[in-house]
Amino acid sequence: MPKRVCIVGAGPSGLVAAKSLLHDAPPGTFDVTVFESQSRIGGLWPAHKADNAGLVHPRMVANQSKHTIQFSDLAWPEDSPQLPRAWQVGEYLARYRNKYLSAAKLKLGTLVEKAEPLESHQPGWKVQTRSSQGDTNEEMFDHLLVASGYFGRPALPPAATDDAQVPVIHSSQYRDLVSLLGKTGGKGTKILVVGGQMSGVETAGTIASHLSSAAHSPGQSIIPNSGKYTVHHLIQRPAWVFPLHTSPKPTSSAPPFLPLDLISNNLASRAHPLTNLQGHISPDAAKLTHSIYQRSLGTDQEIFSSAVAINGDETDSPPYLAVSDCYMDFVRTGLITVSRGRLAALFDHEAAVAQPDGTITDVAAVILATGFEASSSLAFLPESVKKTLALDRSDLKNTVALGFHGTYHPDLPNLGFVGFYRSPYWGIMEMQARFLAAMWTAGGPASPSLPVTIREALEKDDSIKETMRLRTDPRASQFPMGDYAWLMEEFASALGLTRSAPALDMPRVLPSNKPMDILTPARYLSASATKEQLAEAQHSLRQTEAVTRAGLTSGRFVARAVFRSLLGEWKLDRRISSLLPSHPSGHFRGTARFLLREGTGDGRESSFYRAVAAGQDPGWEYLYVEEGDFEADNGLTFRATRRYVWRYDEEKDKLSVWFVRTDDPKRADYLFHEVDFVAPAAGQADESGGWEATAGHLCIEDFYDVQYLFNFKAVNLGDWRLEYTVKGPKKDYTIEGRYSR
């Protein structure tokens, strides 16, 4: 007779748990019921473009690529972006449910109110539920699997309840400027973001991009006086902020680029056998990691602001990492101001800061990026069970103490956990689900039928002891449960799984000079996988390896890296050399500003408007504003300015430059040119002197031959050059411009 399993939660963890119980165990072993309090599946992830009810903005770009945000046996569509939007993750989960969970009983809109263990002589659980209509029910199950998520509810500091006269919301509630400030704006000029880790950096960067777009887009601004607002980011310690694409060759002036997680999950850069790089971080280990981060970014972040620099004694402390494409350059421009301290109180339009003491005045709104507490996700468990799990509501990193990497407790063998930890990489969730399925299939952790590999893994497991120790360890890492690659190998060893080899010959990268060996969930297919599942895994692996080869050999993602790094202000020094007396030669000195804004449809085909109207993301673009003084060789000097619109097409991975309209210099008029990057010859990237690009434009009878040279310092542009050669019946001149920070 099948064992009945109650799964609490239908997010990624609950769905992969149900799939593993139904497909990785022998047929008929488990009868699975999934309870979800929301009216849809997905948990944090929105179900569609307009789903604003959850904790994640539907348009949020994931900070990991689709090669990591996946399960082993379902590939993403070929045309999906490398970094999916949140709503696209929701669609992926819907496909996963349709493909694998037809045999599961899925009860949406049903809250698990109470789950109590039965008497010891009758192992199991009594589960009480309440539907959205108020109907209650009680059922008996052999096993209870908790997949209710680590992000139970926002963790709000006591200061949040003080007498603030401004909007105060949690970062998970932020959607746009109008919902935050209202259509009329309000008193104050500073949007205060509190919290310096992942969500704080991401939220500050997002709000800054919205402010920039409101100030520099054509037409009437969505809020009055949008240019008066800035972001004030209050942090207790700086984090290393990585862009979404980084390089495995940061010392090259023409580095190749890949999504960040493909580089961080490169096993060729790790010593083998793998060891855990998280948990307790010694001073020496901290210094080493800080140095790796600094080398990867090419800076200690001082170039952006001293407030975010990491140097000196700070390199002894465990490093923290955050991800944002625009945060650091907005810090450099001043749209984001960073200060250190702890929020002590809110009153009127001011925020009191402690350690060091001070006051932030003229506050317009407050965003609390202070994380989540997980204990409310376990509210249905009785106090006796919580005591066994050593639940600590105040510990946001190690809320409960669980065995074998967050999966179970030996005193509660019929209770399991999937995804109940910070930074739930999808591969780990899948491995946790497989581990529980295998252990429960055998009869539990004490069963003589337990596979030898699992028994040996449990005998040497010290996860509970380590969790309790880390609770009081001042040197605990940002993600204390363990690093991704090590955890994947730990589970694979316990389950007797062998990581598949790369399907293609992969390019070699320094410093190991070994072929790229990227760890993805698709490399750990279940031993019971069907031919269809194998085909999905192989499809996924081909996608990962193809995009890696393209990034390393053909210059894919360079256009995106250039576009990202243009944000802000540049010094411009330009020489014009004319061979015709009608066009004077001379020198221009001034500034060029790249002002970020949401993509506009001006000058584009009507299909762009239809796609945006249908909910497609319009992407981002820059309004380019150049101002300075031109001094002609004949002594004449005058003020000069020009404008363009720069765009990046993610689908084509292409940069383009557009003329602006004469009657509205914020609007694009027509295409000037597209930028074509020239991939360095094999083995010549390090000596190339930067990324070269070309373009051409015929303007009536005049032809513009355009040459670019972009010199990177790791992930950021150090300087770049632009040269035009213009020839026509009445024109014959060259323009050579150099842009530097």
Side-chain angles (χ1 to χ4, degrees):
M1 184 174 179
K3 299 176 182 178
R4 298 198 70 209
V5 182
C6 167
I7 298 177
V8 185
S13 299
L15 297 178
V16 76
K19 178 263 174 185
S20 296
L21 292 166
L22 292 170
H23 293 272
D24 295 341
T29 303
F30 298 104
D31 177 71
V32 177
T33 302
V34 184
F35 294 101
E36 170 55 57
S37 61
Q38 299 183 90
S39 60
R40 58 159 178 82
I41 66 166
L44 296 173
W45 299 100
H48 49 79
K49 301 181 184 76
D51 183 1
N52 278 306
L55 297 177
V56 174
H57 193 303
R59 287 180 55 190
M60 183 196 79
V61 178
N63 59 19
Q64 297 166 13
S65 73
K66 65 181 182 181
H67 311 281
T68 298
I69 301 178
Q70 62 167 235
F71 295 125
S72 65
D73 46 12
L74 183 62
W76 279 80
E78 290 284 352
D79 60 353
S80 59
Q82 296 298 312
L83 297 167
R85 273 55 175 175
W87 65 267
Q88 292 170 315
V89 177
E91 286 191 342
Y92 176 93
L93 291 172
R95 290 177 54 232
Y96 189 78
R97 170 201 173 179
N98 294 336
K99 191 173 187 68
Y100 292 116
L101 299 184
S102 60
K105 302 179 182 70
L106 182 59
K107 299 189 177 182
L108 301 176
T110 305
L111 174 69
V112 174
E113 290 191 323
K114 186 181 295 185
E116 296 180 324
L118 301 176
E119 300 296 331
S120 57
H121 65 276
Q122 185 186 359
W125 293 83
K126 179 171 65 175
V127 177
Q128 297 179 17
T129 60
R130 181 181 298 274
S131 72
S132 55
Q133 290 77 34
D135 299 326
T136 60
N137 189 37
E138 183 175 287
E139 295 182 67
M140 304 299 175
F141 293 91
D142 299 291
H143 297 279
L144 175 67
L145 195 152
V146 178
S148 49
Y150 205 82
F151 304 101
R153 63 185 177 195
L156 303 177
T161 61
D162 293 339
D163 188 23
Q165 300 300 308
V166 297
V168 181
I169 65 172
H170 189 261
S171 57
S172 60
Q173 298 172 291
Y174 177 76
R175 293 295 179 267
D176 53 55
L177 292 175
V178 172
S179 61
L180 178 67
L181 300 172
K183 294 182 179 180
T184 60
K187 184 179 177 182
T189 63
K190 299 172 185 173
I191 299 175
L192 177 62
V193 177
V194 180
Q197 292 196 40
M198 283 277 193
S199 59
V201 167
E202 182 180 6
T203 301
T206 298
I207 295 175
S209 67
H210 290 173
L211 288 173
S212 179
S213 186
H216 303 299
S217 293
Q220 185 175 358
S221 176
I222 56 173
I223 54 173
N225 303 313
S226 55
K228 77 173 184 176
Y229 295 101
T230 61
V231 177
H232 193 113
H233 191 195
L234 182 63
I235 66 174
Q236 296 190 43
R237 55 174 293 182
W240 293 99
V241 180
F242 278 73
L244 290 165
H245 291 74
T246 55
S247 178
K249 299 180 180 180
T251 59
S252 170
S253 59
F257 287 88
L258 289 171
L260 171 62
D261 56 316
L262 296 190
I263 297 174
S264 61
N265 295 339
N266 176 24
L267 296 177
S269 65
R270 295 282 296 267
H272 293 265
L274 297 178
T275 57
N276 185 14
L277 301 182
Q278 299 289 335
H280 173 83
I281 306 296
S282 69
D284 287 344
K287 288 181 179 179
L288 176 61
T289 305
H290 280 292
S291 68
I292 293 172
Y293 288 172
Q294 181 169 344
R295 178 177 178 271
S296 298
L297 295 175
T299 175
D300 64 2
Q301 302 186 152
E302 177 77 33
I303 61 173
F304 302 105
S305 168
S306 59
V308 296
I310 302 175
N311 47 46
D313 293 342
E314 288 180 329
T315 60
D316 287 341
S317 301
Y320 277 50
L321 181 146
V323 180
S324 173
D325 264 352
C326 61
Y327 175 87
M328 277 301 185
D329 281 307
F330 277 133
V331 170
R332 173 160 32 199
T333 67
L335 189 56
I336 297 176
T337 298
V338 180
S339 64
R340 302 194 191 187
R342 177 179 56 81
L343 181 65
L346 295 171
F347 49 92
D348 195 22
H349 287 262
E350 297 184 351
V353 177
Q355 301 172 350
D357 295 343
T359 303
I360 300 172
T361 61
D362 203 26
V363 174
V366 179
I367 313 290
L368 299 169
T370 45
F372 295 82
E373 59 86 17
S375 61
S376 61
S377 294
L378 304 177
F380 54 87
L381 294 176
E383 290 302 318
S384 60
V385 171
K386 295 176 183 177
K387 183 176 180 180
T388 300
L389 300 174
L391 184 143
D392 184 345
R393 292 176 173 82
S394 64
D395 192 328
L396 303 186
K397 292 184 178 180
N398 301 290
T399 303
V400 290
L402 298 171
F404 204 70
H405 311 308
T407 53
Y408 85 112
H409 194 285
D411 294 337
L412 298 163
N414 290 63
L415 175 65
F417 290 79
V418 173
F420 201 78
Y421 65 100
R422 298 182 77 206
S423 190
Y425 296 99
W426 290 34
I428 304 298
M429 290 189 282
E430 187 170 30
M431 289 294 207
Q432 288 178 322
R434 290 170 174 170
F435 181 82
L436 288 173
M439 188 169 65
W440 286 348
T441 297
S447 171
S449 302
L450 204 64
V452 173
T453 53
I454 293 181
R455 181 180 298 109
E456 292 176 347
L458 296 182
E459 288 174 352
K460 67 178 183 180
D461 177 48
D462 64 350
S463 298
I464 293 177
K465 180 180 177 181
E466 180 70 1
T467 297
M468 300 302 290
R469 188 182 66 78
L470 288 172
R471 281 182 173 175
T472 57
D473 185 355
R475 302 197 61 84
S477 64
Q478 184 177 13
F479 306 112
M481 180 175 151
D483 81 76
Y484 181 41
W486 176 75
L487 285 170
M488 290 293 283
E489 286 293 281
E490 283 278 289
F491 278 108
S493 177
L495 293 166
L497 296 179
T498 301
R499 183 179 70 249
S500 66
L504 303 174
D505 291 333
M506 300 298 289
R508 295 174 180 269
V509 294
L510 297 173
S512 67
N513 198 32
K514 296 178 181 178
M516 289 282 283
D517 187 9
I518 300 170
L519 183 151
T520 68
R523 296 185 64 182
Y524 295 89
L525 198 61
S526 170
S528 60
T530 64
K531 289 183 178 180
E532 185 179 10
Q533 289 173 301
L534 177 60
E536 289 284 345
Q538 291 176 336
H539 183 196
S540 178
L541 289 173
R542 285 193 295 270
Q543 286 189 26
T544 302
E545 292 170 359
V547 78
T548 302
R549 290 185 64 86
L552 294 178
T553 61
S554 70
R556 186 172 181 182
F557 305 121
V558 172
R560 179 182 179 124
V562 168
F563 180 83
R564 174 196 63 79
S565 198
L566 288 171
L567 194 157
E569 185 172 305
W570 297 81
K571 290 186 293 184
L572 172 55
D573 192 306
R574 176 186 292 133
R575 173 67 188 174
I576 300 178
S577 302
S578 176
L579 297 179
L580 300 178
S582 57
H583 289 74
S585 300
H587 217 100
F588 175 90
R589 295 179 178 87
T591 60
R593 291 180 295 151
F594 286 84
L595 306 170
L596 189 67
R597 68 188 193 188
E598 192 171 77
T600 58
D602 297 311
R604 305 201 211 210
E605 297 179 357
S606 58
S607 57
F608 175 86
Y609 293 94
R610 292 195 297 270
V612 172
Q616 183 173 309
D617 196 306
W620 293 88
E621 65 186 29
Y622 290 116
L623 175 63
Y624 171 96
V625 179
E626 173 187 306
E627 297 173 308
D629 295 309
F630 178 76
E631 182 179 351
D633 289 350
N634 60 15
L636 179 66
T637 300
F638 57 89
R639 193 72 177 167
T641 184
R642 69 173 68 183
R643 294 186 175 207
Y644 298 103
V645 171
W646 284 56
R647 288 169 168 161
Y648 173 68
D649 186 319
E650 183 175 12
E651 185 177 353
K652 296 179 181 178
D653 191 33
K654 178 79 73 172
L655 269 178
S656 59
V657 184
W658 299 66
F659 291 109
V660 296
R661 286 166 47 173
T662 56
D663 61 334
D664 189 344
K666 283 189 175 182
R667 293 190 180 277
D669 192 358
Y670 59 95
L671 178 67
F672 183 7
H673 59 259
E674 290 188 329
V675 180
D676 295 314
F677 285 87
V678 181
Q684 299 300 312
D686 293 336
E687 293 79 31
S688 66
W691 276 101
E692 296 180 5
T694 62
H697 171 74
L698 180 63
C699 182
I700 307 177
E701 295 179 304
D702 304 320
F703 186 77
Y704 290 72
D705 182 18
V706 189
Q707 304 289 324
Y708 290 91
L709 181 65
F710 297 99
N711 293 309
F712 277 88
K713 185 175 181 181
V715 298
N716 297 300
L717 279 175
D719 62 78
W720 56 287
R721 299 179 185 182
L722 172 57
E723 178 179 324
Y724 295 96
T725 299
V726 185
K727 291 187 178 295
K730 298 181 180 180
K731 294 180 182 179
D732 190 354
Y733 63 88
T734 59
I735 302 177
E736 299 174 277
R738 177 171 179 174
Y739 297 75
S740 58
R741 286 293 186 186

